[in-house]
Amino acid sequence: MEVMVDRENSFEDLEQFLTQLDWAPHDGNIDEAVSDSETACDPSMLDESCIQELELRALKEHLKAIVKDIHIAIEQLLSLCLLSFECLNTASSKDLCLASIEEAFFMPLWSALVTLFRKVNWEREQAFEESMKLYKDVSPGDVGGSFPYDFAVMELKLLFKHSCPQRKLECIVRALRQICVCAEEYRCLHEPESTPGTAAIGADDLLPILSFVALRCQCPQLVSECAALEEFIHEGYLIGEEGYCLTSMQSALAYVESLHTGEARLPAETLI
Amino acid sequence: MAAGGTGGNSGKTYSFKVVLLGEGCVGKTSLVLRYCENKFNDKHITTLQASFLTKKLNITGKRVNLAIWDTAGQERFHALGPIYYRDSNGAILVYDVTDEDSFQKVKNWVKELRKMLGNEICLCIVGNKIDLDKDRHVSVEEAESYAESVGAKHYHTSAKLNKGIEELFLDLCKRMMETAQAEERLKGNGASQAASSRRGVQIVDDEPQATPAGGCCSSG
């Protein structure tokens, strides 16, 4: 009983969350917005950017509807599952059910889904790519010694091999853990005299390294993958390690996207 | 990580998210490490080390799971703050008592947090490094009266000497519980009905599988 109530709430929350995602100037619904722009410029005057914007807006609406559909579908499958097997109605069994459902559910779906996310996040991916090009010459040599975070990059890249959000999330978690392990080894190696207590890294160190790892991943699609994960991460994971890792990943990506504008240059020496 | 408790025969488990804010060198990392591991010198910490830490507590018979989220203090990551602190139940804002600048930063964060999250978030302003009291640049009176003016609590700590840290977290937990309980009362009989948003307070009754026979849920 409790379980069902919580789940329903999560959809309301999701809707609310998605509404917040809409960019501010176009608060109204899509029809209104469309008719507005139609009266504003007659069809012959519609320039390319105008059309692109309308297209993007339609795409966003479309994506929103699809995300909602997916949540409802998974919810229904879960309900059926719990209805059929009453013994599964405990917190941990429910998690297991959900995991198996999602595994099967997303398998045939993900590549199409991520294509849509990529269309919507096209500009962000472009920005990411720009930064990537800008920093492609930052070789391990430039930052001194060998690049110690290759394992983290590898872990992160594994994300593309999976089609289930939960599995993808695990890749991100492993990448972050790997960074922590590397950073610790690096410090122990290079600063054996380092102040006690500073050997464990906090977000001040983690985020710059993670940004660099994201750059080295050389894959703008990461932006869309993470945007999609944000929609499909389980509510229960939000404040846990998984939620923290995804949030950090999102922050690192946003930071990388901002790099090519020149406002925030990445000083190579702060990376390691 | 789900809020569902393990075993136990009665009561609730509170899950709280606490964000940790503070400039680079104020010692926030040492502070949480001290609290969660009490291993100031030990190099072996959890998987995400000092970035993300959890702690389980038992306060007046209630179980509390704390998730402590560290944030990057550097200015260049500042714009990314909101995605870290959304849905937080509490915030610990750390400054260095010997560094006036770091106290100003705290003030900025307070403004931002209040603007984004309103009054529901429990704020703690923490003057760290009181072991360096002789170099103090932020006066006790100023800090305390500022904290009071924004509805925050002020604490003095020393991660180095392990002073004031237990109290800080215990106090914060109690306040977050009070806030959560008040919220529950507002909503009626404590069923976590219609949470206003994706807030982190997840109160889960965990009577272990006492499913009454035939008492099947009305499916959605």
Side-chain angles (χ1 to χ4, degrees), chain A residues 72-204:
Chain A
I72 291 171
I74 290 176
E75 167 65 8
Q76 281 172 342
L77 287 171
L78 183 65
S79 299
L80 277 173
C81 208
L82 299 185
L83 245 130
S84 319
F85 305 100
E86 227 176 283
C87 56
L88 293 176
N89 208 349
T90 65
S92 53
S93 316
K94 202 196 73 173
D95 280 353
L96 279 176
C97 279
L98 205 53
S100 344
I101 290 171
E102 286 185 350
E103 189 104 47
F105 188 93
F106 282 106
M107 183 82 81
L109 208 64
W110 192 268
S111 64
L113 195 60
V114 88
T115 307
L116 191 55
F117 271 95
R118 294 194 72 178
K119 285 191 109 155
V120 169
N121 290 291
W122 183 79
E123 275 182 29
R124 289 186 56 200
E125 286 202 14
Q126 284 295 107
F128 187 93
E129 206 171 340
E130 289 291 313
S131 303
M132 228 173 67
K133 283 181 195 146
L134 201 65
Y135 285 92
K136 74 175 188 322
D137 294 330
V138 180
S139 71
D142 294 332
V143 282
S146 63
F147 184 63
Y149 299 109
D150 280 339
F151 283 121
V153 176
M154 270 165 56
E155 290 286 2
L156 198 55
K157 279 184 170 169
L158 285 176
L159 175 151
F160 299 103
K161 294 214 187 319
H162 293 281
S163 49
C164 172
Q166 215 48 39
R167 297 273 165 278
K168 286 171 182 285
L169 201 53
E170 284 163 16
C171 295
I172 295 179
V173 173
R174 277 198 300 269
L176 266 87
R177 287 179 178 174
Q178 194 61 50
I179 289 176
C180 292
V181 170
C182 285
E184 195 179 341
E185 283 171 1
Y186 188 88
R187 287 227 175 155
C188 292
L189 210 67
H190 293 262
E191 305 166 34
E193 309 289 294
S194 68
T195 341
T198 56
I201 71 167
D204 289 343

